[in-house]
Amino acid sequence: MTLPTIDKLYDVCEATWPCASQREIGGFIVRDGKGGGKRVSAATLNAPLARANYDEAEAAMDALGQSRLFQIREGEGALDQILIGRGYSVIDPVNVYAIAAKDLAIETPPRTVAIPTWEPLAIMEELWSEGGVAQERIEVMLRAAYPKTGLLSRWNDKPAGTSFVSMHDGVSMIHALEITPRQRRNGLGRWAMIRTGFWTLENGGETVSVICTQTNTAANKLYQSLGMQNIGSYHYRIKA
């Protein structure tokens, strides 16, 4: 099968990890993330570059109490250069991966290593909290449309990790994959990805996707080892 384009995966990311609200201001989509992180708080270009009004977009982000933050997608090099000239610095370049779900669902995971469950259990929230995934990000998960699920991992009869999966237009995306440090190096991240492949097929989807900061060497190696293809990328520009 043909994997989705990077433009479709941008849409999947927005649908499966949604902001609280958004408005078009100055030729940009300005998002209210309610503290849910960069993905739900960054502004994106939504008009020809010649119509962009940076002052209006910045004022809107200021009014929300958010950082002045823009997401730069592929093909937006001219916007990137303008923001550099306005004093913006690059932060968090991200890789976007995808794979056919049938190519991921190749072996049945052990019963307890990635148990689908929703809504999130208290232990899942504890594991996310340990990994730096605050309540504001859990609120993002609650906003996402169905189909969606959480995955709870147990290893050696102890809680080991958790993640969140949501699907849009046949493409699932896994978010907030956290394995507790004391349970790492047991292949639990791999099993969570494989379980996501099965869950995607069971819910009528065809593709599994994930995003990962380019500096997260371990995660990039995991996704590449599973045969996931790097479809594209994006990065942010932030102004102190």
Side-chain angles (χ1 to χ4, degrees):
M1 62 168 286
T2 302
L3 292 175
T5 64
I6 188 60
D7 287 332
K8 179 169 182 176
L9 291 176
Y10 293 147
D11 292 342
V12 171
C13 188
E14 288 203 52
T16 61
W17 195 256
C19 63
S21 63
Q22 62 183 45
R23 293 185 297 156
E24 182 172 341
I25 300 174
F28 293 91
I29 298 294
V30 176
R31 296 171 176 82
D32 182 359
K34 299 294 185 189
K38 296 183 186 69
R39 278 179 284 167
V40 290
S41 303
T44 51
L45 187 65
N46 196 51
L49 192 60
R51 287 175 44 202
N53 188 315
Y54 305 93
D55 293 335
E56 285 187 11
E58 289 171 342
M61 287 185 273
D62 291 346
L64 290 169
Q66 297 180 169
S67 299
R68 295 182 176 185
L69 182 71
F70 292 86
Q71 186 187 102
I72 311 300
R73 299 177 173 182
E74 292 195 358
E76 294 180 343
L79 171 62
D80 203 31
Q81 291 301 310
I82 291 170
L83 291 174
I84 292 171
R86 292 178 67 89
Y88 281 77
S89 302
V90 70
I91 186 171
D92 286 350
V94 168
N95 289 328
V96 185
Y97 292 96
I99 189 173
K102 64 180 178 59
D103 293 335
L104 197 54
I106 53 175
E107 53 183 314
T108 304
R111 186 177 63 85
T112 65
V113 297
I115 307 164
T117 181
W118 194 256
E119 292 184 355
L121 305 174
I123 185 58
M124 296 166 70
E125 295 191 5
E126 289 177 21
L127 290 164
W128 273 317
S129 179
E130 284 181 14
V133 179
Q135 183 62 39
E136 291 83 356
R137 284 174 167 81
I138 296 174
E139 293 298 324
V140 175
M141 304 177 202
L142 296 174
R143 288 197 294 266
Y146 288 93
K148 63 182 177 181
T149 190
L151 296 176
L152 174 62
S153 298
R154 293 184 62 84
W155 191 257
N156 294 329
D157 291 326
K158 294 185 183 342
T162 189
S163 55
F164 172 72
V165 185
S166 181
M167 189 190 302
H168 172 71
D169 197 19
V171 181
S172 64
M173 184 169 278
I174 186 166
H175 302 272
L177 174 58
E178 293 291 336
I179 306 299
T180 188
R182 58 188 174 273
Q183 295 275 28
R184 289 176 185 168
R185 302 187 182 280
N186 288 314
L188 298 174
R190 175 178 177 272
W191 286 122
M193 297 302 298
I194 292 173
R195 174 62 74 190
T196 301
F198 281 99
W199 180 88
T200 300
L201 295 172
E202 290 161 3
N203 285 272
E206 296 182 338
T207 307
V208 174
S209 62
V210 68
I211 65 174
C212 179
T213 57
Q214 293 176 4
T215 56
N216 190 338
T217 303
N220 280 281
K221 285 183 177 178
L222 169 64
Y223 304 138
Q224 292 162 10
S225 73
L226 289 165
M228 302 189 79
Q229 300 298 306
N230 188 340
I231 305 300
S233 63
Y234 64 84
H235 62 273
Y236 300 99
R237 288 278 173 187
I238 190 168
K239 192 171 188 179

